[in-house]
Amino acid sequence: MSSNPEIGSLNRTRAIMKEYGIHAKKGFGQNFLTDLNVLKNIVRAAEITKADNVIEIGPGLGALTEQLAQAAGQVVALEIDTDLLPVLDEVLSPYDNVKVINQDVLKADLPALIQEQFTDPSRPIKVVANLPYYITSPILMRLLESPVEWAAICVMMQKEVAQRLTAQPGTKEYGALTLAIEYRMQARIAFGVSRHAFVPSPNVDSAIVVLTRRTQPLLDKPFDEGRFFGFVKSCFAHRRKSLWNNLKPLAGKDTEKQETVQTVLAELNILPQIRPEKLTLEQFIALANQLHDHKLF
Ligand code: SAM
């Protein structure tokens, strides 16, 4: 152990927890990363440079924050747990480009925070985090629905959720969450992480997902995003049933409406007996647009 070990080393993490009497809180999804290779590879996967502003969600004991501070221009970290603030204040004191803010990421006004906290808010903004797993989807949706144009989002999550985000049509992992991500960004799994890289170890393995902005925007965007995603969710209400069975409630008992749905499907070359997970994002968009034109939802 060197005289100044990095925060993410197992020895230093244990020493910090002992010194401050910190016990990981399950309720806040606290699993601290104690593998320096993983930490450095996360920063590499996010392609962080000194030109970047970084928002970190949940700095914990500061292991990832320290690596980000060394690579980025400026880091703003949002931590919900007030017990961790004095720890972070001290362990991150060598870095003058880090600010820790006591905030719940699900309540934070991100555009305002960016304007207030970064010295130069016009620089690329990247989100990097080892996410609290109990709120992975709400955090992702909040980031994606925010008006901020993220240069990249590079986040660790439960492996199974990562597989859902990056799933291909026709697989069992493909669903409404995949489509919500694909609609806005391009997602890929950078690498997997064993549960043994954390203190305490979670019951699941993890993966790093990198989301980047689409190079080409979607052409045929639907009328209203909220209604579109409501429609997508209704198509997946009964995954094991056919698309037609999932669409039937739109027409109810009205045979004329049922025929209209059938005609729309035929015009789009979509077989009614197909399972919803076989449909691509573009097909969902076309279907939603047409059904909406026929006032079916
Ligand atoms: N970044 C640290 C690491 O990699 O070791 C800790 C990651 S731990 C999985 C998740 C962190 O998110 C914890 O520090 C937890 O307190 C924090 N957290 C949980 N819910 C939060 C919320 N709603 N807003 C901000 N931080 C939150």
Side-chain angles (χ1 to χ4, degrees):
M1 187 166 148
S2 82
S3 61
N4 192 17
E6 290 169 279
I7 301 168
S9 66
L10 185 56
N11 285 345
R12 179 90 186 274
T13 299
R14 284 199 174 131
I16 293 171
M17 291 177 81
K18 195 169 169 210
E19 183 182 345
Y20 291 89
I22 300 290
H23 300 281
K25 294 186 180 122
K26 259 196 174 172
F28 283 147
Q30 291 177 355
N31 298 95
F32 303 119
L33 247 177
T34 53
D35 184 324
L36 285 169
N37 274 332
V38 172
L39 287 160
K40 288 175 198 293
N41 283 334
I42 294 174
V43 175
R44 225 167 274 145
E47 299 182 5
I48 303 294
T49 74
K50 285 284 165 194
D52 292 326
N53 286 330
V54 174
I55 293 186
E56 187 194 2
I57 299 163
L61 302 176
L64 182 56
T65 326
E66 176 174 60
Q67 302 296 327
L68 290 168
Q70 290 170 3
Q74 213 183 332
V75 182
V76 172
L78 306 184
E79 177 54 64
I80 197 169
D81 184 0
T82 44
D83 289 347
L84 296 177
L85 301 179
V87 184
L88 289 162
D89 199 35
E90 190 167 322
V91 298
L92 296 172
S93 61
Y95 303 98
D96 61 6
N97 59 342
V98 177
K99 280 186 202 171
V100 176
I101 300 174
N102 183 210
Q103 275 219 9
D104 177 345
V105 66
L106 295 179
K107 295 191 181 141
D109 178 345
L110 295 170
L113 185 131
I114 288 166
Q115 290 304 319
E116 285 159 18
Q117 301 296 337
F118 288 112
T119 317
D120 181 358
S122 68
R123 288 180 172 193
I125 317 261
K126 295 181 175 170
V127 176
V128 185
N130 169 16
L131 291 175
Y133 292 178
Y134 72 109
I135 43 172
T136 300
S137 297
I139 292 177
L140 287 174
M141 291 321 294
R142 190 162 178 93
L143 294 174
L144 295 176
E145 282 167 1
S146 122
V148 180
E149 293 220 337
W150 310 108
I153 298 174
C154 175
V155 283
M156 171 119 71
M157 62 190 71
Q158 184 178 335
K159 192 171 102 190
E160 287 72 17
V161 181
Q163 286 166 338
R164 276 165 58 203
L165 295 192
T166 56
Q168 293 300 312
T171 62
K172 70 176 182 349
E173 291 84 9
Y174 185 78
L177 183 61
T178 322
L179 289 155
I181 300 291
E182 192 192 350
Y183 180 79
R184 299 168 173 104
M185 296 187 95
Q186 285 169 324
R188 68 180 175 86
I189 293 182
F191 58 95
V193 180
S194 152
R195 64 192 72 188
H196 304 298
F198 303 84
V199 169
S201 290
N203 295 329
V204 291
D205 288 320
S206 299
I208 301 291
V209 172
V210 181
L211 304 170
T212 43
R213 268 193 278 160
R214 287 180 159 278
T215 40
Q216 280 188 321
L218 289 172
L219 289 177
D220 191 18
K221 281 204 171 188
F223 42 93
D224 173 306
E225 271 187 31
R227 292 187 83 159
F228 172 62
F229 286 110
F231 169 73
V232 170
K233 275 189 195 145
S234 71
C235 289
F236 281 99
H238 306 284
R239 296 186 60 101
R240 301 189 56 78
K241 290 191 178 169
S242 67
L243 179 65
W244 167 238
N245 268 305
N246 280 294
L247 291 175
K248 260 186 187 164
L250 296 180
K253 293 210 163 70
D254 186 328
T255 45
E256 207 174 304
K257 283 186 179 174
Q258 288 185 3
E259 273 166 29
T260 311
V261 177
Q262 300 269 15
T263 311
V264 167
L265 288 172
E267 278 171 10
L268 294 171
N269 279 324
I270 298 172
L271 294 172
Q273 64 269 32
I274 201 173
R275 290 263 176 87
E277 74 254 24
K278 296 268 184 195
L279 252 61
T280 63
L281 174 62
E282 285 71 17
Q283 285 176 309
F284 271 112
I285 291 175
L287 185 57
N289 276 331
Q290 293 235 12
L291 292 176
H292 189 256
D293 285 352
H294 285 93
K295 302 195 174 21
L296 277 157
F297 72 96

